[in-house]
């Protein structure tokens, strides 16, 4: 049996970190769009170096690629009912660009500024260069 989840989504809130002795755990929620009007909301946990990096570089609204296993935890509520929670234990988290238009415009302007002048003059010529 294979237990593997791969998803790309946006963080619903800022990551929170907890320390357990020398180990660190980071947890957050992620929304993965299923259709235009539907989203899947998942709780994600990660440990140690991955946890530190998520806490440092991610924030609410950040886009992330998550790869990990689905796990469950069971407990008994105050009324004595058995409860189960499913979550993703992430082995890998990649930070993706958010896709905001303002950021893209800034990147395009930076790329245009760094074009070699001789190349831009070739690109502006109407005759083929051969």
């Amino acid at each position: 049996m294979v237990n593997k989840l791969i998803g790309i989504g946006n963080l619903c809130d800022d990551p929170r970190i907890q320390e357990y002795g020398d180990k660190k755990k980071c947890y957050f929620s992620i929304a993965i769009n299923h259709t235009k009007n539907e989203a899947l909301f998942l709780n994600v946990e990660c440990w140690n170096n991955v946890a530190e990096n998520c806490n440092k570089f991610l924030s609410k609204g950040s886009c992330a690629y998550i790869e990990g296993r689905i796990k469950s935890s069971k407990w008994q509520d105050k009324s004595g009912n058995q409860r189960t929670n499913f979550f993703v234990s992430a082995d890998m988290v990649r930070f993706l660009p958010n896709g905001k238009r303002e950021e893209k415009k800034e990147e395009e302007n930076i790329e245009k500024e760094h074009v070699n002048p001789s190349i831009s003059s070739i690109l502006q010529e109407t005759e083929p260069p051969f």
Side-chain angles (χ1 to χ4, degrees):
M1 183 192 267
V2 177
N3 180 359
K4 184 85 162 179
L5 178 118
I6 298 173
I8 296 175
N10 296 81
L11 271 69
C12 301
D13 50 8
D14 288 331
R16 297 168 305 278
I17 196 156
Q18 294 178 337
E19 294 188 28
Y20 301 96
D22 61 342
K23 295 184 180 184
K24 293 184 180 178
K25 173 184 164 184
C26 182
Y27 56 99
F28 52 89
S29 297
I30 191 167
I32 299 173
N33 291 336
H34 177 62
T35 64
K36 189 173 183 178
N37 298 325
E38 288 183 31
L40 175 64
F41 295 91
L42 297 172
N43 293 322
V44 179
E45 74 171 20
C46 49
W47 292 86
N48 301 323
N49 291 338
V50 177
E52 289 177 16
N53 288 330
C54 286
N55 189 53
K56 186 175 180 180
F57 295 109
L58 291 176
S59 61
K60 181 179 179 178
S62 297
C63 189
Y65 166 93
I66 307 291
E67 191 172 313
R69 298 175 286 136
I70 297 174
K71 295 176 93 176
S72 66
S73 62
K74 295 181 181 184
W75 73 96
Q76 197 173 51
D77 66 10
K78 293 178 182 178
S79 304
N81 299 321
Q82 289 292 326
R83 299 287 186 175
T84 305
N85 181 35
F86 292 93
F87 60 95
V88 178
S89 179
D91 301 319
M92 182 187 342
V93 177
R94 302 265 173 146
F95 315 131
L96 302 176
N98 286 352
K100 293 180 183 174
R101 291 181 183 217
E102 296 170 356
E103 292 176 1
K104 287 183 182 179
K105 286 180 183 177
E106 290 176 8
E107 289 174 12
E108 289 174 359
N109 290 337
I110 291 170
E111 288 176 11
K112 287 179 183 176
E113 291 173 3
H114 293 290
V115 173
N116 187 334
S118 60
I119 294 173
S120 62
S121 64
I122 291 170
L123 296 175
Q124 293 175 359
E125 291 179 5
T126 56
E127 279 185 45
F130 47 89

